[in-house]
Amino acid sequence: MATAALRSQVAAKWHEGFNRLNRSEPGISGLLSFSQAWNIATDYLHPRDISDPTSVKHHDLPSVKASFDLINRSRRLPVMLETFLDDICDQYHLIVRDIEQYLAEYEESADTSVILRLVFRLVEWYRAWAPIDELGPTIRAAYTLTFQTQLFSILPPAFVRGFKALCASTLVPVAQLAPPMWEAFEVLGLTDRYEGIIASVGYERIEDYVRETCTGRWDKPCLEELRVWMTEQIVPWMLPMYAKGAGNTEDARGMLQNVGSRFDFHMNKTLCDLRTSEIFDIIIDFPDSNGALQDLKECLQRVDQRSSLVQALRKANRKRLLHPGADTKLILSQYVATIKCLRIVDPPGVLLFKVADPIRRYLRERPDTIRSIVANLVGDDDSGDSLVDENEPIQPLQQLETEDYNDPHWDPEPIDAGPDFRTNKPSDVISTLVSIYDSKDLFVKELQVLLAQRLLAITDDNFEKVEKERRNIEILKIRFGEAALQVCEVMLRDMTDSKRIDGHVQSQKASIVHPTIISRHFWPSLESSDIVMPGQFQALQTQYAKEFSTFKPDKKLRWLPHLGTVHLELQLEDRTIETDVPPLEAAFIELFSEKNTWTMDELIEGVGAVDRTAALKALITWIDLGVLKEDEENTFRLLEVTEEAAPSSRTAPTASETPTVTAAQQQQADQMRLYWKFIEGMLTNLGSLPLDRIQTMLRFAPGYDQTVEQLARFMEAARREGLVVGRDGMWKLNR
Amino acid sequence: MEQLTTSLAPPRANPKPSVTNSSQQVAGSVAKRLTNELMTLMMSSSPGISAFPKSDGNLFEWVGTIEGPAETIYAGLSFRISISFPANYPYVAPAIKFDTPCFHPNVDITSGAICLDILQDKWSAVYSVQTILLSLQSLLGEPNNASPLNTDAAAVWDTPDAFKAQLMKYYRPLKDTA
């Protein structure tokens, strides 16, 4: 049961409501006019179907306005807005129908103009349903919001695709811009909502363009050209979207600054990515790819892609360069090109350091690296293209120096430098290559070996070649220092001395032997051979040696017959054969002047001791020349009269040319033998010693450079051979 | 004449530092010579003789080993000797003595001192550790009985059995530690 108080309260409310609507008009006439105004207003606002011509109603605008005014005065406007917005939601199915229709058409034709028409159609809807301006901006904004919310909630993904395509279509080729389209987008709020999509259209366009125009074009920088393209093509496209409402170019520039720099960044990034993916080939093409490197340098300053460049290059190197299939020379030249390229891209050398490390490590493991570098240094390269730039001034090798903090031009290390980064001052390529190894001694040794080979290969009076070597050595002296190449100097002097001595000996007693007399101590250890030259060769040698010892009584000749060449004239019954052959061949054929048939074993015995493969190879030379014939296996007969060349039953075994000079590796083994002598000496005299004592005592051995681990392995090997016994960490000789 | 030569001599501006300098140089050159001799000795592989520096820090104190030459009374025995090089080596002979007691006419049995002409007045700078060791090795088989240090040994030299008995009485085989 309602109390009197409640009743009076309800009555008060009622009165208040009534008065608001009735506006103190007499009776309920106020109420009536309000309800009339409400009807007019809601009818006016009711969202109509624009595709239905009958739905078009003509309103008397003044009365509509009056109605709104009345509603406003009765403070019923919010309620009306609510009703209106509800109506919009109710009627939205009309728009949905339209959208579905257009999109279906688009799906079928993939024609972006359909989307454009759809957009315009939506604008029509929007305009048709919009309330009159007199209702004020609040209601207008509420309407727009509701319309757009509804719109976005129903737009299917297909629309987004179409929209993107539509945007793109305005870009390629940049069509005469369609300002109405952008306006329509703006009206519908599509610009804001799909800003990401619009931007991505721009990005994609940039990516496509960069890839299209710059891929594989490394000869000149592209960046400048791309910037021009951006200003001419992309900026006008951006204008209506990002600089809408800009009154003049000055304003527009200000508005574009932000988004413009984003696009510029994207362009840099795309180009950087492209060049990063091409970097290996760019380096191969160097110096024809200078332009690309300039671009890369500029991009890297803008875009932080340095680490990905390093990654990419390291990966490419691993895949394409640092494997057994690649020639050492090739790796070296690519390394040198890498040095040159990355010096352009990154002058402080951090990138280079990071990329070079694996290459250097790999090269260190290759046995023929030193040889290749040295061969290149002395211009012994078959390929002809030298690692060293002709124009680069020859300068002494530079040692890696510690940082000089007193240097007024000192710069701190770049921030991305690793802890073991060493600033290599722009040094020349040779210094860098030599620094692959810890010491230059290895190079000097290899250089001696190579020089020995080349000098010994010089025959006859070809003295220009010796002069050429001398020039080479002079140049190398500048790099490696006078002292290091002293031995080479002696070798060269031996060559000239030999000629002089030979001249003297010949003047005393003419001989057809022309030896090259070398000082054993200064030449790399030469492969020794046990060939004893038979017959007339022996006589010639002895005779020459006699003359030599009268000329130089304090010296004795030790022959290395296997290193020479012999010019032979064979007089056979029906023919004469003239040929230049190695000494072993000559020795064999000399034996045939004693008797016509020899077995292999007899022949080998006749010349001292040679290895069978070498012997067979020498004999096959004669078989090929048609001088000998192998009647039955291992029996050879001299063909005094030519016989029909029977197909040789044997093919030359693939005995590699015996290297004249023992290579550095062999020398290392010799070195270990030397160390063993020292170990033997100390263990003989000092009894048993612990390993570290041996290590320190080996200091006395010249050039000892092994680590204690290496020594331990060596001692272990000696133990296995029964030379030493080790007990309780003490080593002693096994006797 | 006297004046002439002095004026020809290079001026010595600052004698003091040059003195220290030259002494250092001398020490360096002796060390170099000894290093070379060690190298030569190691590479020569002469049978039965060997020597090596006692420690890695001092190149002037060596230990040597001499095996008695075959077909002599010392055959099969090994003797340890110590070699001490003077600072002005090789202009002065090294001091050498037997560490292993050696019953020999020219060797003092207690001190190990050796009476050998090339180690005294006949020393020459062209000799080396290797020549000394070879000389000592041959001295074992061919003693100089004319000037004996150990008269007992010289006396029994002609009776090999007695000599051998004496020799073995004093001889101590080599131990492993120096």
PDB file of all heavy atoms in Angstrom, chain B residues 37-63:
ATOM      1  N   GLU B  37     127.759 -23.842 -29.966  1.00  0.00           N
ATOM      2  CA  GLU B  37     128.482 -25.087 -29.691  1.00  0.00           C
ATOM      3  C   GLU B  37     127.520 -26.190 -29.282  1.00  0.00           C
ATOM      4  O   GLU B  37     127.662 -27.342 -29.685  1.00  0.00           O
ATOM      5  CB  GLU B  37     129.512 -24.861 -28.583  1.00  0.00           C
ATOM      6  CG  GLU B  37     130.729 -24.134 -29.099  1.00  0.00           C
ATOM      7  CD  GLU B  37     131.922 -24.300 -28.191  1.00  0.00           C
ATOM      8  OE1 GLU B  37     131.899 -25.204 -27.332  1.00  0.00           O
ATOM      9  OE2 GLU B  37     132.878 -23.508 -28.333  1.00  0.00           O
ATOM     10  N   LEU B  38     126.537 -25.808 -28.492  1.00  0.00           N
ATOM     11  CA  LEU B  38     125.526 -26.781 -28.059  1.00  0.00           C
ATOM     12  C   LEU B  38     124.819 -27.353 -29.275  1.00  0.00           C
ATOM     13  O   LEU B  38     124.646 -28.563 -29.418  1.00  0.00           O
ATOM     14  CB  LEU B  38     124.528 -26.104 -27.121  1.00  0.00           C
ATOM     15  CG  LEU B  38     123.395 -26.997 -26.603  1.00  0.00           C
ATOM     16  CD1 LEU B  38     123.962 -28.131 -25.768  1.00  0.00           C
ATOM     17  CD2 LEU B  38     122.405 -26.184 -25.790  1.00  0.00           C
ATOM     18  N   MET B  39     124.444 -26.448 -30.169  1.00  0.00           N
ATOM     19  CA  MET B  39     123.752 -26.844 -31.395  1.00  0.00           C
ATOM     20  C   MET B  39     124.628 -27.815 -32.190  1.00  0.00           C
ATOM     21  O   MET B  39     124.178 -28.869 -32.617  1.00  0.00           O
ATOM     22  CB  MET B  39     123.474 -25.568 -32.208  1.00  0.00           C
ATOM     23  CG  MET B  39     122.856 -25.812 -33.542  1.00  0.00           C
ATOM     24  SD  MET B  39     121.121 -26.184 -33.359  1.00  0.00           S
ATOM     25  CE  MET B  39     120.704 -26.471 -35.075  1.00  0.00           C
ATOM     26  N   THR B  40     125.877 -27.464 -32.368  1.00  0.00           N
ATOM     27  CA  THR B  40     126.782 -28.311 -33.138  1.00  0.00           C
ATOM     28  C   THR B  40     126.913 -29.680 -32.481  1.00  0.00           C
ATOM     29  O   THR B  40     126.849 -30.719 -33.139  1.00  0.00           O
ATOM     30  CB  THR B  40     128.186 -27.657 -33.210  1.00  0.00           C
ATOM     31  OG1 THR B  40     128.019 -26.274 -33.396  1.00  0.00           O
ATOM     32  CG2 THR B  40     128.991 -28.250 -34.348  1.00  0.00           C
ATOM     33  N   LEU B  41     127.067 -29.641 -31.154  1.00  0.00           N
ATOM     34  CA  LEU B  41     127.244 -30.893 -30.415  1.00  0.00           C
ATOM     35  C   LEU B  41     126.005 -31.771 -30.552  1.00  0.00           C
ATOM     36  O   LEU B  41     126.099 -32.973 -30.803  1.00  0.00           O
ATOM     37  CB  LEU B  41     127.503 -30.564 -28.941  1.00  0.00           C
ATOM     38  CG  LEU B  41     127.863 -31.743 -28.044  1.00  0.00           C
ATOM     39  CD1 LEU B  41     129.165 -32.369 -28.512  1.00  0.00           C
ATOM     40  CD2 LEU B  41     127.984 -31.281 -26.602  1.00  0.00           C
ATOM     41  N   MET B  42     124.839 -31.156 -30.438  1.00  0.00           N
ATOM     42  CA  MET B  42     123.595 -31.927 -30.524  1.00  0.00           C
ATOM     43  C   MET B  42     123.466 -32.550 -31.900  1.00  0.00           C
ATOM     44  O   MET B  42     123.009 -33.669 -32.059  1.00  0.00           O
ATOM     45  CB  MET B  42     122.383 -31.016 -30.262  1.00  0.00           C
ATOM     46  CG  MET B  42     122.249 -30.537 -28.839  1.00  0.00           C
ATOM     47  SD  MET B  42     122.007 -31.856 -27.677  1.00  0.00           S
ATOM     48  CE  MET B  42     123.553 -31.896 -26.841  1.00  0.00           C
ATOM     49  N   MET B  43     123.843 -31.800 -32.917  1.00  0.00           N
ATOM     50  CA  MET B  43     123.637 -32.276 -34.270  1.00  0.00           C
ATOM     51  C   MET B  43     124.743 -33.240 -34.702  1.00  0.00           C
ATOM     52  O   MET B  43     124.576 -33.974 -35.664  1.00  0.00           O
ATOM     53  CB  MET B  43     123.577 -31.106 -35.258  1.00  0.00           C
ATOM     54  CG  MET B  43     122.411 -30.162 -35.015  1.00  0.00           C
ATOM     55  SD  MET B  43     120.875 -31.009 -34.667  1.00  0.00           S
ATOM     56  CE  MET B  43     120.487 -31.629 -36.297  1.00  0.00           C
ATOM     57  N   SER B  44     125.885 -33.205 -34.029  1.00  0.00           N
ATOM     58  CA  SER B  44     127.017 -33.999 -34.518  1.00  0.00           C
ATOM     59  C   SER B  44     126.795 -35.487 -34.292  1.00  0.00           C
ATOM     60  O   SER B  44     127.228 -36.294 -35.085  1.00  0.00           O
ATOM     61  CB  SER B  44     128.292 -33.567 -33.801  1.00  0.00           C
ATOM     62  OG  SER B  44     128.211 -34.002 -32.456  1.00  0.00           O
ATOM     63  N   SER B  45     126.102 -35.832 -33.238  1.00  0.00           N
ATOM     64  CA  SER B  45     125.867 -37.221 -32.857  1.00  0.00           C
ATOM     65  C   SER B  45     127.141 -38.056 -32.882  1.00  0.00           C
ATOM     66  O   SER B  45     127.208 -39.090 -33.503  1.00  0.00           O
ATOM     67  CB  SER B  45     124.770 -37.858 -33.728  1.00  0.00           C
ATOM     68  OG  SER B  45     125.140 -37.878 -35.073  1.00  0.00           O
ATOM     69  N   SER B  46     128.190 -37.533 -32.250  1.00  0.00           N
ATOM     70  CA  SER B  46     129.387 -38.352 -32.072  1.00  0.00           C
ATOM     71  C   SER B  46     129.073 -39.388 -31.007  1.00  0.00           C
ATOM     72  O   SER B  46     128.548 -39.045 -29.960  1.00  0.00           O
ATOM     73  CB  SER B  46     130.558 -37.496 -31.589  1.00  0.00           C
ATOM     74  OG  SER B  46     130.576 -36.270 -32.256  1.00  0.00           O
ATOM     75  N   PRO B  47     129.381 -40.620 -31.255  1.00  0.00           N
ATOM     76  CA  PRO B  47     128.992 -41.665 -30.293  1.00  0.00           C
ATOM     77  C   PRO B  47     129.774 -41.534 -28.995  1.00  0.00           C
ATOM     78  O   PRO B  47     130.971 -41.261 -29.012  1.00  0.00           O
ATOM     79  CB  PRO B  47     129.311 -42.963 -31.021  1.00  0.00           C
ATOM     80  CG  PRO B  47     130.317 -42.586 -32.049  1.00  0.00           C
ATOM     81  CD  PRO B  47     130.069 -41.163 -32.421  1.00  0.00           C
ATOM     82  N   GLY B  48     129.049 -41.680 -27.910  1.00  0.00           N
ATOM     83  CA  GLY B  48     129.713 -41.775 -26.621  1.00  0.00           C
ATOM     84  C   GLY B  48     130.054 -40.467 -25.963  1.00  0.00           C
ATOM     85  O   GLY B  48     130.526 -40.459 -24.837  1.00  0.00           O
ATOM     86  N   ILE B  49     129.837 -39.361 -26.608  1.00  0.00           N
ATOM     87  CA  ILE B  49     130.061 -38.090 -25.910  1.00  0.00           C
ATOM     88  C   ILE B  49     128.810 -37.223 -25.991  1.00  0.00           C
ATOM     89  O   ILE B  49     128.087 -37.256 -26.981  1.00  0.00           O
ATOM     90  CB  ILE B  49     131.259 -37.287 -26.467  1.00  0.00           C
ATOM     91  CG1 ILE B  49     131.046 -36.972 -27.954  1.00  0.00           C
ATOM     92  CG2 ILE B  49     132.569 -37.999 -26.211  1.00  0.00           C
ATOM     93  CD1 ILE B  49     131.945 -35.869 -28.451  1.00  0.00           C
ATOM     94  N   SER B  50     128.588 -36.510 -24.921  1.00  0.00           N
ATOM     95  CA  SER B  50     127.414 -35.657 -24.884  1.00  0.00           C
ATOM     96  C   SER B  50     127.591 -34.653 -23.760  1.00  0.00           C
ATOM     97  O   SER B  50     128.335 -34.907 -22.811  1.00  0.00           O
ATOM     98  CB  SER B  50     126.174 -36.519 -24.651  1.00  0.00           C
ATOM     99  OG  SER B  50     125.067 -35.705 -24.404  1.00  0.00           O
ATOM    100  N   ALA B  51     126.931 -33.508 -23.909  1.00  0.00           N
ATOM    101  CA  ALA B  51     126.969 -32.514 -22.838  1.00  0.00           C
ATOM    102  C   ALA B  51     125.761 -31.619 -22.978  1.00  0.00           C
ATOM    103  O   ALA B  51     125.210 -31.468 -24.079  1.00  0.00           O
ATOM    104  CB  ALA B  51     128.251 -31.679 -22.903  1.00  0.00           C
ATOM    105  N   PHE B  52     125.337 -31.038 -21.831  1.00  0.00           N
ATOM    106  CA  PHE B  52     124.167 -30.164 -21.885  1.00  0.00           C
ATOM    107  C   PHE B  52     124.226 -29.209 -20.703  1.00  0.00           C
ATOM    108  O   PHE B  52     124.751 -29.556 -19.643  1.00  0.00           O
ATOM    109  CB  PHE B  52     122.885 -31.005 -21.819  1.00  0.00           C
ATOM    110  CG  PHE B  52     121.718 -30.336 -22.491  1.00  0.00           C
ATOM    111  CD1 PHE B  52     121.582 -30.417 -23.874  1.00  0.00           C
ATOM    112  CD2 PHE B  52     120.790 -29.613 -21.768  1.00  0.00           C
ATOM    113  CE1 PHE B  52     120.534 -29.805 -24.513  1.00  0.00           C
ATOM    114  CE2 PHE B  52     119.737 -28.991 -22.397  1.00  0.00           C
ATOM    115  CZ  PHE B  52     119.603 -29.088 -23.781  1.00  0.00           C
ATOM    116  N   PRO B  53     123.710 -28.004 -20.886  1.00  0.00           N
ATOM    117  CA  PRO B  53     123.708 -27.069 -19.749  1.00  0.00           C
ATOM    118  C   PRO B  53     122.940 -27.647 -18.563  1.00  0.00           C
ATOM    119  O   PRO B  53     121.943 -28.341 -18.744  1.00  0.00           O
ATOM    120  CB  PRO B  53     122.997 -25.836 -20.310  1.00  0.00           C
ATOM    121  CG  PRO B  53     123.207 -25.915 -21.774  1.00  0.00           C
ATOM    122  CD  PRO B  53     123.221 -27.367 -22.109  1.00  0.00           C
ATOM    123  N   LYS B  54     123.432 -27.328 -17.371  1.00  0.00           N
ATOM    124  CA  LYS B  54     122.843 -27.890 -16.160  1.00  0.00           C
ATOM    125  C   LYS B  54     121.425 -27.391 -15.932  1.00  0.00           C
ATOM    126  O   LYS B  54     120.544 -28.119 -15.517  1.00  0.00           O
ATOM    127  CB  LYS B  54     123.704 -27.486 -14.950  1.00  0.00           C
ATOM    128  CG  LYS B  54     124.116 -28.661 -14.085  1.00  0.00           C
ATOM    129  CD  LYS B  54     124.991 -28.167 -12.947  1.00  0.00           C
ATOM    130  CE  LYS B  54     126.288 -28.961 -12.911  1.00  0.00           C
ATOM    131  NZ  LYS B  54     127.232 -28.477 -11.909  1.00  0.00           N
ATOM    132  N   SER B  55     121.246 -26.089 -16.175  1.00  0.00           N
ATOM    133  CA  SER B  55     119.915 -25.528 -15.980  1.00  0.00           C
ATOM    134  C   SER B  55     119.637 -24.540 -17.104  1.00  0.00           C
ATOM    135  O   SER B  55     120.551 -24.115 -17.820  1.00  0.00           O
ATOM    136  CB  SER B  55     119.827 -24.815 -14.630  1.00  0.00           C
ATOM    137  OG  SER B  55     120.620 -23.654 -14.684  1.00  0.00           O
ATOM    138  N   ASP B  56     118.364 -24.198 -17.236  1.00  0.00           N
ATOM    139  CA  ASP B  56     118.018 -23.328 -18.355  1.00  0.00           C
ATOM    140  C   ASP B  56     118.467 -21.898 -18.120  1.00  0.00           C
ATOM    141  O   ASP B  56     118.567 -21.115 -19.042  1.00  0.00           O
ATOM    142  CB  ASP B  56     116.508 -23.376 -18.614  1.00  0.00           C
ATOM    143  CG  ASP B  56     115.715 -22.996 -17.388  1.00  0.00           C
ATOM    144  OD1 ASP B  56     116.010 -23.575 -16.320  1.00  0.00           O
ATOM    145  OD2 ASP B  56     114.833 -22.139 -17.483  1.00  0.00           O
ATOM    146  N   GLY B  57     118.775 -21.549 -16.871  1.00  0.00           N
ATOM    147  CA  GLY B  57     119.135 -20.163 -16.601  1.00  0.00           C
ATOM    148  C   GLY B  57     120.610 -19.875 -16.806  1.00  0.00           C
ATOM    149  O   GLY B  57     120.997 -18.741 -17.012  1.00  0.00           O
ATOM    150  N   ASN B  58     121.427 -20.887 -16.753  1.00  0.00           N
ATOM    151  CA  ASN B  58     122.865 -20.655 -16.785  1.00  0.00           C
ATOM    152  C   ASN B  58     123.503 -21.474 -17.895  1.00  0.00           C
ATOM    153  O   ASN B  58     123.560 -22.700 -17.840  1.00  0.00           O
ATOM    154  CB  ASN B  58     123.466 -21.044 -15.433  1.00  0.00           C
ATOM    155  CG  ASN B  58     124.917 -20.609 -15.339  1.00  0.00           C
ATOM    156  OD1 ASN B  58     125.483 -20.109 -16.313  1.00  0.00           O
ATOM    157  ND2 ASN B  58     125.497 -20.812 -14.176  1.00  0.00           N
ATOM    158  N   LEU B  59     124.009 -20.737 -18.869  1.00  0.00           N
ATOM    159  CA  LEU B  59     124.600 -21.393 -20.021  1.00  0.00           C
ATOM    160  C   LEU B  59     126.068 -21.729 -19.779  1.00  0.00           C
ATOM    161  O   LEU B  59     126.708 -22.390 -20.570  1.00  0.00           O
ATOM    162  CB  LEU B  59     124.463 -20.453 -21.225  1.00  0.00           C
ATOM    163  CG  LEU B  59     124.457 -21.031 -22.629  1.00  0.00           C
ATOM    164  CD1 LEU B  59     123.470 -22.176 -22.742  1.00  0.00           C
ATOM    165  CD2 LEU B  59     124.091 -19.939 -23.604  1.00  0.00           C
ATOM    166  N   PHE B  60     126.607 -21.274 -18.628  1.00  0.00           N
ATOM    167  CA  PHE B  60     128.040 -21.409 -18.398  1.00  0.00           C
ATOM    168  C   PHE B  60     128.404 -22.668 -17.625  1.00  0.00           C
ATOM    169  O   PHE B  60     129.574 -22.973 -17.445  1.00  0.00           O
ATOM    170  CB  PHE B  60     128.583 -20.167 -17.679  1.00  0.00           C
ATOM    171  CG  PHE B  60     128.583 -18.944 -18.557  1.00  0.00           C
ATOM    172  CD1 PHE B  60     127.431 -18.230 -18.796  1.00  0.00           C
ATOM    173  CD2 PHE B  60     129.761 -18.551 -19.192  1.00  0.00           C
ATOM    174  CE1 PHE B  60     127.433 -17.129 -19.629  1.00  0.00           C
ATOM    175  CE2 PHE B  60     129.776 -17.445 -20.031  1.00  0.00           C
ATOM    176  CZ  PHE B  60     128.608 -16.729 -20.251  1.00  0.00           C
ATOM    177  N   GLU B  61     127.413 -23.377 -17.117  1.00  0.00           N
ATOM    178  CA  GLU B  61     127.678 -24.622 -16.368  1.00  0.00           C
ATOM    179  C   GLU B  61     127.044 -25.784 -17.110  1.00  0.00           C
ATOM    180  O   GLU B  61     125.825 -25.837 -17.260  1.00  0.00           O
ATOM    181  CB  GLU B  61     127.074 -24.527 -14.954  1.00  0.00           C
ATOM    182  CG  GLU B  61     127.646 -23.431 -14.090  1.00  0.00           C
ATOM    183  CD  GLU B  61     129.077 -23.708 -13.647  1.00  0.00           C
ATOM    184  OE1 GLU B  61     129.460 -24.906 -13.610  1.00  0.00           O
ATOM    185  OE2 GLU B  61     129.805 -22.739 -13.352  1.00  0.00           O
ATOM    186  N   TRP B  62     127.863 -26.681 -17.574  1.00  0.00           N
ATOM    187  CA  TRP B  62     127.349 -27.824 -18.323  1.00  0.00           C
ATOM    188  C   TRP B  62     127.665 -29.123 -17.607  1.00  0.00           C
ATOM    189  O   TRP B  62     128.567 -29.202 -16.802  1.00  0.00           O
ATOM    190  CB  TRP B  62     127.986 -27.897 -19.728  1.00  0.00           C
ATOM    191  CG  TRP B  62     127.531 -26.824 -20.677  1.00  0.00           C
ATOM    192  CD1 TRP B  62     127.035 -25.600 -20.354  1.00  0.00           C
ATOM    193  CD2 TRP B  62     127.575 -26.891 -22.101  1.00  0.00           C
ATOM    194  NE1 TRP B  62     126.756 -24.905 -21.494  1.00  0.00           N
ATOM    195  CE2 TRP B  62     127.079 -25.669 -22.587  1.00  0.00           C
ATOM    196  CE3 TRP B  62     127.979 -27.869 -23.019  1.00  0.00           C
ATOM    197  CZ2 TRP B  62     126.979 -25.390 -23.954  1.00  0.00           C
ATOM    198  CZ3 TRP B  62     127.891 -27.598 -24.375  1.00  0.00           C
ATOM    199  CH2 TRP B  62     127.376 -26.374 -24.837  1.00  0.00           C
ATOM    200  N   VAL B  63     126.878 -30.130 -17.974  1.00  0.00           N
ATOM    201  CA  VAL B  63     127.162 -31.489 -17.516  1.00  0.00           C
ATOM    202  C   VAL B  63     127.465 -32.316 -18.748  1.00  0.00           C
ATOM    203  O   VAL B  63     126.783 -32.196 -19.762  1.00  0.00           O
ATOM    204  CB  VAL B  63     125.943 -32.077 -16.793  1.00  0.00           C
ATOM    205  CG1 VAL B  63     126.215 -33.522 -16.392  1.00  0.00           C
ATOM    206  CG2 VAL B  63     125.606 -31.260 -15.572  1.00  0.00           C
TER     207      VAL B  63
END
